[in-house]
Amino acid sequence: MTSPLELLAGRGTDLLVRVVAAACSDRELPRMAEELAGLVVRSARALTFCDVYVLDEEERALEWPGPPVPLGEGDAGWAAAHGRVRAHADGRGAAIPVHGDGGVIAVVDVRSAGPALPEDLALVTALAELFAPVLSSCRRLRTAREREHAAERFAERAVEAQEAEWSRLSREIHDGIAQRLASLGFHLSAAERALPEHHPEALAQIMMARRLCELAAGETRAAIGGLRPPVLDDLGLSAALATLAREAGDGPGPSGVIDVTVTVEGELEDELPDHVQTALYRIAQEAVGNSLRHASANRVDLLLEHSSDRVRLKIADDGLGFSMRDVLARGGRGRRPDSYGLRGMRERAELLGGRVAVRSRPGAGTTVEAVIPIPGRRG
């Protein structure tokens, strides 16, 4: 029996060169299918038309060119469903299945101006057999990329849903608690003015209540800003991190004012999707908050670093630190892991296909490092 290569060699070395060049190219679907169709028309003697249909991911229809062809419909659909050659009723061509990955993966549909020559159909069958592994690889690559894109869309929607809920909470706090605290402060001021001067004890209590009300109002405003910082929407991640550092540095540390720095390296921030910027900001927000609330840190350094296919965020403090062995021994349970929010940071990064690493030792500070791939630029 003549092999496909021998059959193609009979048409000349030029055809073999074109076949090898196409098979070794880095073209993806549908370009590879178009390349095969072009080779068929250029190589056959009497064939004037060729379409290459590729089975879709669900294996229910043939794709390209034109509208999908359901399995079993028409000559191409019949050939795909039964795995056998289906000659056209007028004798001017046939639909030839391409086998791979344990079944039919594509159909080569050819037509001619007159009756199809047997040697042309044999040539098409040989080309289909040679291109079967290439088309199989193209299909697997397409499936992998479609699933990657679906995962990215899911992550984007998940982050957007989280942020929408935080925005809703922010509005409710602003329109509810914040307004009532403002009203309470107004009434306390009115009561202070109306109180006779010979009631010093009552006056002192009212002044204390006013101070508590002002503190509660300040904490409420900070909570609203933390739930959805406007600077993240308006100016982007770098500016949001700078604002976070400035606000964190306003508070006193164990031995004075906390020193919080931000360093940005790389120039790819404009290409970061909004949901990636949001996730990175939330990780930084949690890590910086942990450094201030639990680690008694005097210094916190943030590094935002962009490369061609990923973004890295590192938050390092000089605080008390903790034993990672103790955290792992508790299995993520107990006060310490919850207070450090390790699970939440890791879940945010993993949702986007990234990771968070935490390094810490008692008395040696803590470093949180998040690495997230940039969608569409993964190596």
Side-chain angles (χ1 to χ4, degrees), residues 53 60-62 68-82 86 95:
Y53 298 90
R60 296 180 180 178
L62 294 168
V69 178
L71 261 64
E73 294 189 10
D75 292 335
W78 189 96
H82 294 83
R86 173 81 170 212

Side-chain angles (χ1 to χ4, degrees), residues 221-374:
R221 289 191 296 270
I224 292 173
L227 283 170
R228 188 60 195 173
V231 68
L232 186 59
D233 294 324
D234 298 337
L235 300 178
L237 181 58
S238 297
L241 292 178
T243 301
L244 176 65
R246 185 170 58 253
E247 293 175 349
D250 289 340
S255 58
V257 176
I258 299 173
D259 184 14
V260 184
T261 66
V262 177
T263 302
V264 179
E265 297 180 359
E267 300 179 354
L268 292 176
E269 183 172 340
D270 290 342
E271 299 185 14
L272 286 180
D274 291 343
H275 66 286
V276 174
Q277 295 191 45
T278 299
L280 287 167
Y281 177 81
R282 293 302 184 196
I283 292 171
Q285 190 179 39
E286 178 69 28
V288 171
N290 291 337
S291 297
L292 304 186
R293 291 189 301 268
H294 307 298
S296 300
N298 287 306
R299 181 180 178 85
V300 183
D301 296 314
L302 286 80
L303 171 64
L304 181 66
E305 181 183 66
H306 303 271
S307 61
S308 60
D309 59 353
R310 67 175 188 170
V311 59
R312 182 169 71 103
L313 175 66
K314 185 169 76 170
I315 306 98
D317 68 47
D318 63 351
L320 299 175
F322 59 91
S323 171
M324 292 298 299
R325 181 179 299 176
D326 291 345
V327 171
L328 296 174
R330 293 187 178 99
R333 299 184 299 274
R335 180 178 180 277
R336 179 59 63 85
D338 290 342
S339 68
Y340 276 83
L342 302 183
R343 179 178 299 176
M345 289 188 285
R346 282 173 174 151
E347 287 177 350
R348 284 186 180 277
E350 290 170 359
L351 181 64
L352 303 179
R355 58 179 175 82
V356 166
V358 180
R359 299 185 298 276
S360 185
R361 287 188 298 115
T366 300
T367 298
V368 176
E369 183 177 55
V371 178
I372 294 179
I374 300 176

